[in-house]
Amino acid sequence: METITINGINDERFSSAAKALREGKLVAFPTETVYGLGANALDPQAVKRIFEVKGRPLDNPLIVHIAKVSQLSSLVKEIPAQAKTLMKAFWPGPLTLVLKKSESVPDEITAGLDTVAVRMPDNSIAIRLIEEAEVPVAAPSANLSGRPSPTAYHHVLEDLNGRIEYIINGGTCKIGVESTVLDITSGIPVILRPGGITLEMLEKVIGKIETDAVLKPEDGNKPRSPGMKYRHYSPNAKLFLFEGKSEDVIRKINTLASENRAKGLKTGVLSSLENKDRYVADVVVNIGSLSCLEEVASKLYDALRKFDEEKVDIIYSESFSEAGMGRAIMNRLKKAASERISIP
Ligand code: TXA
Ligand code: MG
């Protein structure tokens, strides 16, 4: 298949892409978090193709993207007061709300759950695309399953060129990690996936939130967010995640990197700006300052892909604070890691 690439909203073929999306074709598009692989959410065949193209497990449900709040009512049974408060505070933006689904949402999207995840992206290309398509758009991240999520146009090309009908270039995604997935269907809201809207931001608006209830006991241990059980966001190389005092972590990484380089392996370090000149590895990628976690988030996936490009065999990664955006960063690093090493 030949993929048609579109250069933003002003590209004369933008409207054809929106029309094709409505008619069941797949269109990758930028959002403020990561690029999405979009299909008409009301077309079960189109939604099925998303799973085939990505190689995504069928039991991992998709997020439905909307351009205006009025599109929500047909997707959900009811809009609780709490949802309205959250939408007012954070939409458009990187917050996905899990709500009770209506009959019109195909089972292919929700993997058979009775809930649906919905968000309104904060990106003018995404909004315009959904508006012109005149349908809600189901979209997972536009990567092959298991690969780091795409935060730049060339990442999407790497994974999906030749596999889908359209890719829209919208430059680099400003946030760089996915949306926060918040389940508000029962009692205290639960963060199913930390992301672009932090726990602290949510608690300021709606009070107490749970962060670790991955299982819903009344469903007999059925995972509440099926996506969370998969190893994810992974580069090809093995990633070792180090936690501990900076000095100790640097010393340990340098010892291991030297040993493995001596064995002929290519080594990489995912480093903060502060420590980037202190490593002996083959490839050191600086993902920003320990004191600017927004920057670290925005560079994380690009860094993981760089190690693949450089054909690194082993990656050693520093850890970051789990406050604010750090919670999402550390969640992704832990999922990408083959092993976590904590130095006492
Ligand atoms: O920022 C984002 O959210 C990006 C952009 C494209 O919008 N999308 C994204 O989609 O990250 P994806 O498919 O890579 O991740 C969707 C997550 C998965 O963890 C999935 O399990 C969860 O949302 N999810 C979807 N529907 C759900 C539901 N009904 N209940 C619980 N979790 C759900
Ligand atoms: Mg994903």
Side-chain angles (χ1 to χ4, degrees):
M1 168 179 304
E2 205 190 328
T3 300
I4 298 170
T5 55
I6 307 264
N7 210 357
I9 290 177
N10 295 325
D11 192 307
E12 57 193 10
R13 294 158 310 163
F14 185 84
S15 298
S16 342
K19 186 159 171 275
L21 179 60
R22 176 171 61 240
E23 290 168 353
K25 303 290 191 279
L26 300 189
V27 180
F29 61 97
T31 81
E32 80 281 32
T33 57
V34 301
Y35 275 77
L37 171 56
N40 177 347
L42 306 176
D43 179 341
Q45 290 311 318
V47 172
K48 268 192 199 152
R49 245 190 85 215
I50 287 183
F51 287 87
E52 284 164 21
V53 164
K54 282 193 55 132
R56 181 179 175 104
L58 289 168
D59 65 352
N60 192 3
L62 303 176
I63 295 171
V64 179
H65 297 67
I66 59 176
K68 34 185 188 291
V69 171
S70 60
Q71 282 179 300
L72 183 60
S73 44
S74 71
L75 299 170
V76 300
K77 273 220 170 87
E78 50 169 2
I79 306 176
Q82 200 167 46
K84 288 184 186 148
T85 308
L86 288 163
M87 282 154 48
K88 217 176 200 165
F90 300 113
W91 280 9
L95 176 67
T96 295
L97 295 175
V98 174
L99 296 158
K100 293 274 179 209
K101 81 174 199 83
S102 75
E103 301 299 319
S104 65
V105 179
D107 284 337
E108 283 77 6
I109 287 183
T110 62
L113 297 173
D114 59 358
T115 56
V116 61
V118 187
R119 88 175 189 99
M120 187 188 291
D122 183 17
N123 176 291
S124 54
I125 295 179
I127 293 293
R128 181 72 171 275
L129 181 72
I130 302 165
E131 274 172 3
E132 286 201 23
E134 296 179 314
V135 288
V137 174
S141 47
N143 51 286
L144 295 176
S145 224
R147 296 264 294 143
S149 297
T151 53
Y153 173 62
H154 73 94
H155 297 160
V156 185
L157 282 178
E158 266 164 38
D159 281 17
L160 299 180
N161 197 14
R163 298 176 192 250
I164 60 175
E165 283 82 3
Y166 290 90
I167 300 177
I168 303 176
N169 181 357
T172 308
C173 302
K174 68 175 183 227
I175 298 207
V177 290
E178 297 86 343
S179 63
T180 301
V181 179
L182 186 72
D183 184 337
I184 50 170
T185 58
S186 51
I188 298 178
V190 188
I191 292 182
L192 300 180
R193 177 181 70 183
I197 299 292
T198 66
L199 171 68
E200 293 84 347
M201 290 161 82
L202 290 169
E203 286 193 327
K204 247 187 216 156
V205 173
I206 53 164
K208 181 148 175 54
I209 287 177
E210 276 182 48
T211 54
D212 51 3
V214 174
L215 299 175
K216 209 179 191 174
E218 66 266 34
D219 289 353
N221 282 356
K222 204 172 165 197
R224 200 158 164 175
S225 181
M228 299 314 281
K229 67 177 188 265
Y230 297 105
R231 182 161 177 263
H232 249 87
Y233 317 110
S234 305
N236 295 325
K238 274 201 157 159
L239 187 147
F240 295 86
L241 178 61
F242 289 81
E243 290 167 273
K245 281 211 258 352
S246 219
E247 294 306 312
D248 299 339
V249 166
I250 293 168
R251 197 175 320 115
K252 184 76 187 169
I253 288 178
N254 280 337
T255 307
L256 291 171
S258 306
E259 280 171 22
N260 282 304
R261 287 174 89 189
K263 288 184 201 154
L265 295 174
K266 191 162 179 184
T267 56
V269 175
L270 193 70
S271 170
S272 59
L273 168 71
E274 286 80 357
N275 298 332
K276 71 176 173 48
D277 297 323
R278 304 183 59 193
Y279 292 107
V280 297
D282 299 297
V283 181
V284 177
V285 180
N286 155 25
I287 60 167
S289 170
L290 292 165
S291 63
C292 185
L293 295 174
E294 282 69 25
E295 182 189 356
V296 172
S298 73
K299 292 183 171 167
L300 178 64
Y301 289 134
D302 185 60
L304 293 178
R305 282 178 181 256
K306 266 201 193 110
F307 290 118
D308 281 350
E309 264 166 48
E310 299 271 356
K311 301 209 163 42
V312 162
D313 300 298
I314 304 180
I315 304 163
Y316 304 104
S317 175
E318 290 181 18
S319 287
F320 296 84
S321 149
E322 299 215 22
M325 199 62 124
R327 184 178 288 273
I329 295 166
M330 286 304 289
N331 171 271
R332 306 306 190 268
L333 279 174
K334 287 173 189 171
K335 282 184 174 289
S338 310
E339 212 175 300
R340 287 163 63 187
I341 297 160
S342 86
I343 308 174

